[in-house]
């Protein structure tokens, strides 16, 4: 089972990956939205902002977040690490229910280019 530190590190690597995107992918990542990533097996949520392709101001809260973020991810810690490491394909994980992504329709359409 991934630790909180491993999950935080994976989110930092995801932020770096998003910041390095170019072209159409860059425009898809250039959102300004609140973001949460709920790690079910650790009962924690990472809360921050996606700003111009970077995940910023990340804090860890116990349990579910107090406020509903505009973009919400839910998964196990091992799945987060595997997604960022490229060992787990997002579409397969989402299709099987291992990963949940919730957002407004316009955001989902933009994010699909990244995922």
């Amino acid at each position: 089972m991934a630790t909180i530190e491993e999950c935080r590190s994976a989110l930092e690597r995801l932020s770096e990956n998003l910041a390095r995107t170019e072209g159409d992918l860059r425009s898809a990542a250039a959102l300004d939205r609140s973001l949460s990533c709920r790690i079910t097996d650790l009962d924690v949520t990472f809360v921050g902002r996606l700003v111009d392709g970077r995940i910023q101001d990340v804090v860890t809260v116990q349990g579910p977040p107090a406020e509903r973020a505009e973009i919400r991810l839910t998964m196990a810690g091992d799945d987060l690490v595997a997604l960022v490491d490229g060992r787990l394909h997002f579409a397969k994980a989402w299709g099987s229910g291992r990963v949940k992504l919730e957002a407004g329709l316009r955001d989902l359409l933009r994010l699909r280019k990244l995922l």
Side-chain angles (χ1 to χ4, degrees), residues 22-94:
E22 296 178 1
D24 287 344
L25 292 180
R26 180 70 181 160
S27 65
L31 297 170
D32 183 1
R33 302 285 189 272
S34 58
L35 174 74
S36 68
C37 183
R38 177 116 171 89
I39 306 300
T40 55
D41 55 334
L42 298 175
D43 194 29
V44 297
T45 304
F46 295 96
V47 180
R49 287 204 69 81
L50 177 61
V51 179
D52 195 29
R54 281 207 168 273
I55 302 170
Q56 301 178 352
D57 305 323
V58 177
V59 295
T60 307
V61 296
Q62 193 65 39
E67 293 183 24
R68 185 176 165 166
E70 293 166 294
I71 299 172
R72 299 168 303 282
L73 290 162
T74 304
M75 68 193 79
D78 287 342
D79 289 338
L80 172 62
V81 173
L83 279 169
V84 174
D85 288 346
R87 294 180 283 120
L88 179 62
H89 191 270
F90 180 84
K92 287 182 182 180
W94 178 73

